[in-house]
Amino acid sequence: MSYSPAHWRRVGEETRRMVTEVPLYRDRPVPPGDPAQVDQWLKQVPPVGKRELRRGFPRSLLRENQDLNAAMRDERVTLLATSGTTADRLQVIWEWSWWDPQEREAMRLNARIAAAMSDASYREAVLTTPACGAGTCHFGSQTAAERSIDGILFFNESADPTHWTDRECERMLREWCEFAPRGVEADPAYLAIIARAALKRGVRLPSPEFITLTYETTTQAMRRDIARAFDAPLFQLYGATEAGVLFMECEHGRLHPNEQHSHVDLVAVPGSGLARVLVTTLGRAWMPLLRYDIGDVVRVAESRGCACGLKSDGPLLERVEGRQSDCVEVRGETVTPLMLDDAVHAELGAAATIEQWQLAGDTLLVVDPESGTSAARAAAAVEAVLRRRIRGERVAAVAPEASGKYRLVKH
Ligand SMILES: [Zn+2]
């Protein structure tokens, strides 16, 4: 580890306050006073998962002397539920003064984004599930002005993009043209649908200076169709509502840690370069997290250095592979959702027209309006990786979960 002594001192001080003040962590050993020993201590602290955060919420996560009701009345914090399947859904104490600065700072780790954001004419739009854009709700029919907060326009107002009507698509395309965002934050599945709608209608959308992809795993088909519609670089922004932004992709394709706001431990899982992500939040008054397992598997970059020149003390990632619960063990090795996506696209090649897939049990559902043979070929590719019989089925659409997110693997 190449973290500075100052970083370890900060981690030591903040975790000491967590152990002293937060009921959920009260039975953890107190961190050592010597910053050089904090790393070793932290590795022994048992992780917490979503289940532990849900148990006793919010009381078990409140620091002594914190008055949640008063903070909510003053609008310093708000309670909100994360998206996800029922088993994954969490309530979060959302702290406005923490969220925004840590997200902005993460974005600025990318030099191109930093330059765009510093321009006086910078304006941003968000395309995701209406429930999870910045802790506000945009369900229903609202005007563009009603869907704008601090100059950020939230395009979407209905939960299931599979059933966006022509009218809804056309409204979003029109708003995109009128607003001409310079930066866009998007769920890749949603943006791919808008990209296809624009291409189909021959609408040329003004390209932003950058697009950040977040909220769910980006497949090659999503990336391909987004790139066809927009002449803008795509960057992964990796985080979670309950944990903040943990990593930001730079112009050289590496994800750098947002280390002023969180400390990340990587725990290896079987398979080369794969790890789980345990996060300890920094600088957060409400709902601090101590070794929280975010539930994803990532691929760790081999080198700690990066051509972009940004020095990061923490680990760099190559990509986010998908949810751990969507991974499959094959002969002791972890197969991630993106590894299945790689296999599908390796089989279908550069001319692939597949738009979406989902492995549901032993059936690979494939959405491909152009090809009647890709489902069987993609299934054979997945079968070879998983070493079990997989049936391919061409379908018109794959429905998202109730949360509005798509799942790549359903056991
Ligand atoms: Zn870099």
Side-chain angles (χ1 to χ4, degrees), residues 127-129 161 164 184-196 211-227 230 234-237 338 355-356 404-406 408:
L127 179 66
T128 179
T129 50
W164 278 340
V184 170
E185 176 180 298
D187 180 309
Y190 288 43
L191 187 58
I193 293 170
I194 284 295
R196 289 174 198 130
I211 295 172
T212 55
L213 301 175
T214 187
Y215 306 109
E216 61 182 302
T217 312
T218 309
T219 63
Q220 290 190 36
M222 295 172 192
R223 194 175 276 280
R224 174 200 66 209
D225 291 340
I226 294 167
F230 301 102
L234 307 177
F235 302 114
Q236 296 287 333
L237 180 149
L338 278 195
E355 292 184 352
Q356 206 179 357
K405 289 194 189 186
Y406 292 90
L408 292 174

Side-chain angles (χ1 to χ4, degrees), residues 356-360 363-365 398-399 401 407-410:
Q356 206 179 357
W357 60 267
Q358 181 184 62
L359 180 64
T363 303
L364 187 77
L365 305 175
V398 170
E401 303 295 299
R407 284 190 68 182
L408 292 174
V409 177
K410 289 178 92 163

Side-chain angles (χ1 to χ4, degrees), residues 109 248-256 305-310 316:
L109 293 174
M248 179 70 226
E249 185 177 347
C250 72
E251 289 179 276
H252 290 265
R254 288 287 177 266
L255 284 92
H256 289 258
C306 181
C308 77
L310 177 65
L316 303 189

